[in-house]
Amino acid sequence: MRHIISVLLENESGALSRVAGLFSARSFNIESLSVAPSEDESASRMTIVTSGNDDVIEQIVKQLDKLVDVIEVSEITSDEHIEREIAFVKIKDKSISKEMMDKFSKNEFLKIHTTNSDEIIIECVDSPEKINNFLDSVKKIAVKIVRSGSVGINSN
Amino acid sequence: MKQTIDNKQKYTGAEIFVKCLEAEGIDLVFGYPGGAVLHIYDELHKQNDVSHILVRHEQGAVHAAEGYAKSSDKPGVVLVTSGPGATNAITGIADAYMDSVPIVVFTGQVRTALIGNDAFQEVDTVGITRPCVKHNFMITDVSKMAETIKKAFYVATTGRPGPVVVDIPKDITEDKYEFNYPSKVSMRSYNPYTDISDESLELAAKNILSCKKPVIYAGGGVINSNASKELTEFAKYLNFPVTNTLMGLGCFPGNDPQFIQMLGMHGSYEANMAMHDCDLLIAVGARFDDRITGRLDKFSPDAKIIHIDVDPSSISKNIKAHIPIIGDVKAAINGLTKKIVEKKLKPNNIDEWWNNINEWRKKDSFRYKQGSEIIKPQYVIDRLYEITKGDAFITSDVGQHQMWAAQLYKFKKPKRWINSGGLGTMGFGLPSAMGTQFANPNSLVCCVTGEASIQMCIQELSTCLQYGLPIKIINLNNRYMGMVRQWQEFFYEKRYAMSYMDALPNFVKLAESFGHIGYKVEKPSDVDAAILEAIKQKDRLVFIDFITDQEENVFPMIATGAAHNKMILS
Ligand SMILES: Cc1ncc(C[n+]2csc(CCOP(=O)(O)OP(=O)(O)O)c2C)c(N)n1
């Protein structure tokens, strides 16, 4: 099963590689991983999307918690939560039909950026599921796809 | 001489380093000098509070520090230079990580301005050691030196102990700052002890009182938590059988009738059968490693499992615990003692279970037959046990000799059995004996080894001479990498690929050339005299080369992936 694990860790050099190293050393899956500053200047928050059965997830949480730089670990998928990801898709102007363009500009989750070449960039912020659907619809014409990986937060 | 310390006065990083060790109560450092740590060596040279032991290879320094830590209540300390000094130390660091040994390893590093430039003797020590340390630090500012060193000792020695590496660039040892050693540190991201849940203790107590076929399975965590006395009293009160892991030997007296011997791959028949048939398994400071469990789905199939450990990640990692008790082992046993012993509650009568166990015991699964011609390796351990009355410190290398020592030397006290369990590092025996002898200068320290293992850190014989360490080396010389040969005999139709030890040195002359005494013993009737004579040499190292039966095997044996009740007996 897919799980999102949120980790608050000290902003020490090497903290990120401790987490990444743990996943590879113990052959845990990483679907995506993102790190950025948090509400606390001296700590970063990392969101890891992983998959595994309950025993594996329990081990992942315990092993993360054991890392000396890790302040807090929570598995947020087991409770109510919001999850978002951002994706950019670069498309050649000429491969987009008029109808498609209309549809894109009406979709409130999409934003269209022009470039000074013959390409446009579509920005999409949504749940990974919706992003996957959107990307499926443009897969044939996309020149480049850039995804951020998920971030999530508990909402109860 | 202790000076009074002026808080405003500035000291170099190297001076601060030495003052920190002194303030931490460290009086012994094992190490080897080199460019990046020369400022530190210069400061060590100028004072007498912290002694430095010069080893002959950095691996030896780390194993010595491990032996020191495992046989005492103090952490081991290592100091090595950057680059090759650090990489030579890695095996020891990984060993300490696997066996949860509290050591702090200080590594020199190139100047901060050179880091990342592939400078002379630069390696990414923090990066290389990351997967095999409890934690590591690089000091990038001299103002952080004292606090970082304090944290290093704190992390290494608390919770589940382990190695901590502190990497110190050379310029940091020149920079100046005030000296202020913190008396305490706390780290919000590191909370080594969890409050023990009363609910889980209650549940455990209930199961302990209602079970019919219990086993206490105690490991190295009992020794690390100094809980041997508590565990022993608790087990004696309950009259429950106790088995030990390789790392736990000595945490319950090996000569006690309740002791059913070591368990696992080369454990006793009674221990493994009891593990298989029990209805309650009380795991204390043990981690269900694969050499213990064998086939996971056939492991203790009918048992409720109580698992006490300070490291939450050890619980339900390999085997699901029904009643996890997370916290310090000693505190947990005290908690159970309150709920059972102090209330004078009595468990069920388990006579029938003891009858089963005593039946299994009759197999006498560690037995061997000593004839009059060739020395059986087990016989040497038996005699060593009898002659030393089970009171010596025994370090060991890795292989058959290690298993025979574990099976037959009945350790009565904790911290007397010093071996490499998790990593299984050949070469551990001699340097760890040095550390053990330093920590216990007036005690008998014996290193049980094999002719292959001893050659892996043989250079330390020179260190032993320099510091007058009267270690007794018990070399069980079967002219084979015995453990490898045994597997080849069982699983590769006796194709002994590369396991014959050809071109062996003359160990007697080798010992003599290092300034020690050497004996060669070939007859069973000479075994006692050699051991007694060696012990008489109070201030000399004696190397006894016992020429033993070449093709003796370690029994019982559970093949990898087999169930506990599927043991190969002799
Ligand atoms: C550094 C290292 N290399 C290889 C091994 C694999 N290994 C395990 S036991 C063993 C043979 C040990 O032979 P010896 O020291 O003579 O002891 P014996 O088994 O004969 O008692 C080997 C090669 C190891 N444990 N450690």
Side-chain angles (χ1 to χ4, degrees):
Chain A
M1 219 184 98
R2 186 172 177 280
H3 292 259
I4 305 173
I5 296 171
S6 182
V7 184
L8 187 68
L9 73 170
E10 296 286 2
N11 253 339
E12 300 281 348
S13 77
L16 172 62
S17 40
R18 282 184 219 282
V19 175
L22 171 73
F23 274 74
S24 63
R26 297 197 180 261
S27 52
F28 298 141
N29 279 321
I30 298 189
E31 186 182 296
S32 74
L33 182 156
S34 76
V35 211
S38 69
E39 68 280 3
D40 177 341
E41 254 178 40
S42 59
S44 304
R45 180 162 279 106
M46 184 183 270
T47 310
I48 304 167
V49 180
T50 181
S51 56
N53 62 31
D54 291 351
D55 293 343
V56 171
I57 300 301
E58 182 182 331
Q59 259 304 302
I60 292 177
V61 170
K62 283 174 167 177
Q63 292 290 348
L64 283 168
D65 215 14
K66 189 166 149 181
L67 292 176
V68 169
D69 283 337
V70 167
I71 302 163
E72 198 181 279
V73 185
S74 48
E75 196 286 310
I76 62 177
T77 6
S78 54
D79 216 331
E80 272 171 49
H81 65 282
I82 304 170
E83 179 186 357
R84 287 292 176 270
E85 184 177 358
I86 180 165
F88 292 118
V89 187
K90 207 175 236 181
I91 302 174
K92 292 256 187 254
D93 285 342
K94 61 174 192 292
S95 43
I96 305 186
S97 64
K98 178 87 177 50
E99 298 93 296
M100 247 177 153
M101 200 63 180
D102 278 350
K103 217 174 105 195
F104 289 161
S105 35
K106 276 190 201 126
N107 186 333
E108 57 177 315
F109 294 103
L110 299 182
K111 212 172 184 179
I112 296 167
H113 303 269
T114 53
T115 68
N116 48 19
S117 69
D118 59 348
E119 294 166 336
I120 60 157
I121 294 167
I122 305 175
E123 171 190 321
C124 172
V125 178
D126 213 321
S127 66
E129 201 190 343
K130 294 248 181 66
I131 289 193
N132 284 340
N133 291 341
F134 167 70
L135 292 177
D136 273 348
S137 72
V138 294
K139 200 162 60 191
K140 289 211 179 82
I141 52 174
V143 183
K144 190 177 214 173
I145 295 175
V146 178
R147 300 177 68 160
S148 64
S150 283
V151 290
I153 192 165
N154 271 126
S155 56
N156 55 350
Chain B
M1 216 179 67
K2 308 236 184 247
Q3 307 144 269
T4 44
I5 290 159
D6 172 359
N7 278 347
K8 288 278 148 54
Q9 195 187 329
K10 297 226 152 107
Y11 300 92
T12 66
E15 288 174 299
I16 294 175
F17 176 84
V18 176
K19 284 182 189 303
C20 286
L21 292 188
E22 203 192 311
E24 187 62 36
I26 302 302
D27 39 31
L28 208 61
V29 175
F30 299 92
Y32 208 97
V37 284
L38 282 183
H39 294 312
I40 293 178
Y41 271 84
D42 197 42
E43 287 311 319
L44 282 170
H45 188 72
K46 291 180 192 161
Q47 52 80 56
N48 295 314
D49 295 308
V50 183
S51 326
H52 179 279
I53 306 304
L54 179 70
V55 295
R56 298 300 185 266
H57 184 294
E58 289 86 351
Q59 181 184 353
V62 186
H63 293 327
E66 289 184 272
Y68 184 84
K70 284 188 184 205
S71 65
S72 73
D73 296 325
K74 287 176 145 195
V77 181
V78 176
L79 173 62
V80 297
T81 192
S82 67
T87 54
N88 271 353
I90 302 281
T91 300
I93 295 170
D95 190 272
Y97 182 62
M98 290 294 273
D99 285 348
S100 310
V101 190
I103 59 169
V104 177
V105 179
F106 296 98
T107 53
Q109 183 54 278
V110 301
R111 295 174 177 279
T112 42
L114 291 176
I115 289 176
N117 284 347
D118 302 320
F120 177 62
Q121 296 196 325
E122 176 183 5
V123 293
D124 175 9
T125 303
V126 167
I128 294 182
T129 57
R130 187 175 298 125
C132 59
V133 291
K134 182 168 173 188
H135 196 56
N136 57 20
F137 299 93
M138 182 193 273
I139 303 180
T140 50
D141 190 325
V142 67
S143 67
K144 297 274 165 57
M145 172 93 76
E147 186 194 329
T148 307
I149 293 177
K150 182 77 200 175
K151 279 183 182 168
F153 282 103
Y154 172 59
V155 171
T157 54
T158 50
R160 178 176 178 176
V164 174
V165 166
V166 183
D167 202 25
I168 311 178
K170 188 166 185 181
D171 51 319
I172 304 300
T173 63
E174 290 164 359
D175 293 350
K176 291 194 161 181
Y177 198 68
E178 294 138 24
F179 173 67
N180 246 319
Y181 197 64
S183 57
K184 253 177 51 198
V185 276
S186 71
M187 296 160 76
R188 62 173 171 173
S189 61
Y190 176 67
N191 302 299
Y193 302 106
T194 326
D195 287 336
I196 293 171
S197 124
D198 193 64
E199 217 173 301
S200 58
L201 286 176
E202 198 64 57
L203 194 59
K206 222 165 107 189
N207 278 275
I208 289 171
L209 292 171
S210 64
C211 69
K212 297 208 170 71
K213 300 191 284 179
V215 178
I216 297 176
Y217 147 56
V222 177
I223 296 175
N224 278 339
S225 146
N226 276 322
S228 301
K229 187 171 150 272
E230 288 76 4
L231 176 85
T232 304
E233 284 171 7
F234 186 64
K236 298 295 294 179
Y237 176 85
L238 295 170
N239 186 35
F240 282 6
V242 180
T243 178
N244 277 167
T245 67
L246 181 65
M247 301 311 293
L249 293 172
C251 81
F252 185 83
N255 56 348
D256 189 287
Q258 270 170 250
F259 189 56
I260 58 170
Q261 313 293 331
M262 178 172 81
L263 81 165
M265 183 175 269
H266 293 298
S268 74
Y269 186 70
E270 58 270 29
N272 287 331
M273 288 305 285
M275 288 295 279
H276 186 270
D277 283 10
C278 66
D279 69 352
L280 182 70
L281 182 58
I282 309 168
V284 194
R287 63 187 175 89
F288 294 88
D289 134 79
D290 55 282
R291 285 292 191 264
I292 295 293
T293 57
R295 192 170 153 178
L296 284 177
D297 61 335
K298 294 281 163 73
F299 179 78
S300 306
D302 306 320
K304 265 250 167 72
I305 296 176
I306 299 173
H307 191 177
I308 304 174
D309 207 286
V310 70
D311 175 4
S313 74
S314 280
I315 291 177
S316 298
K317 181 170 68 184
N318 302 328
I319 294 287
K320 190 97 194 147
H322 305 100
I323 307 169
I325 302 180
I326 300 169
D328 177 47
V329 165
K330 190 192 254 181
I333 297 174
N334 284 337
L336 288 173
T337 300
K338 274 213 183 77
K339 298 221 177 282
I340 296 174
V341 185
E342 287 177 16
K343 290 191 182 152
K344 302 206 167 64
L345 299 176
K346 278 286 175 193
N348 285 325
N349 179 323
I350 57 163
D351 286 353
E352 211 173 306
W353 179 229
W354 271 117
N355 287 342
N356 286 340
I357 292 173
N358 289 331
E359 276 309 305
W360 293 324
R361 264 182 175 159
K362 286 188 187 149
K363 290 249 195 242
D364 191 11
S365 56
F366 297 159
R367 75 179 176 277
Y368 63 94
K369 270 209 197 81
Q370 177 60 66
S372 60
E373 291 305 314
I374 305 167
I375 300 174
K376 288 284 180 187
Q378 299 96 318
Y379 177 68
V380 178
I381 305 293
D382 253 352
R383 296 314 303 151
L384 185 67
Y385 169 73
E386 293 297 337
I387 291 169
T388 61
K389 304 188 177 64
D391 227 11
F393 286 84
I394 307 287
T395 76
S396 147
D397 266 302
V398 174
Q400 292 181 315
H401 61 272
Q402 175 189 27
M403 292 301 121
W404 287 316
Q407 290 179 340
L408 298 167
Y409 199 96
K410 304 180 194 61
F411 294 91
K412 293 181 198 153
K413 293 180 194 155
K415 301 196 179 217
R416 299 268 158 150
W417 168 237
I418 316 293
N419 89 129
S420 166
L423 196 65
T425 312
M426 290 169 69
F428 177 85
L430 177 56
S432 65
M434 302 187 322
T436 303
Q437 189 78 77
F438 274 113
N440 304 276
N442 302 315
S443 303
L444 177 64
V445 178
C446 303
C447 164
V448 174
T449 184
E451 78 294 337
S453 290
I454 192 68
Q455 292 188 71
M456 286 219 178
C457 277
I458 194 82
Q459 74 287 346
E460 299 306 332
L461 282 175
S462 172
T463 313
C464 293
L465 183 71
Q466 183 173 347
Y467 298 97
L469 302 175
I471 295 162
K472 312 302 173 220
I473 297 178
I474 310 294
N475 190 36
L476 301 182
N477 186 345
N478 53 7
R479 282 83 71 217
Y480 272 115
M481 295 175 194
M483 190 56 96
V484 173
R485 191 206 53 75
Q486 176 169 347
W487 281 59
Q488 290 169 334
E489 177 184 335
F490 289 6
F491 310 118
Y492 298 88
E493 298 166 321
K494 296 200 176 185
R495 289 186 299 278
Y496 293 158
M498 290 295 133
S499 54
Y500 183 67
M501 287 307 285
D502 218 335
L504 281 176
N506 176 330
F507 284 110
V508 172
K509 283 194 176 153
L510 181 136
E512 286 170 359
S513 80
F514 275 99
H516 303 302
I517 299 171
Y519 308 143
K520 182 173 181 175
V521 182
E522 295 180 273
K523 285 206 298 263
S525 53
D526 292 338
V527 169
D528 274 30
I531 295 173
L532 285 164
E533 190 53 38
I535 293 173
K536 254 195 232 152
Q537 301 289 339
K538 287 245 177 294
D539 46 11
R540 299 286 299 279
L541 182 147
V542 183
F543 190 119
I544 319 181
D545 189 21
F546 290 100
I547 307 302
T548 59
D549 191 348
Q550 270 198 289
E551 302 206 1
E552 186 66 24
N553 288 319
V554 182
F555 291 114
M557 178 170 187
I558 302 176
T560 322
H564 271 169
N565 57 354
K566 300 271 178 281
M567 265 165 283
I568 311 170
L569 298 168
S570 63

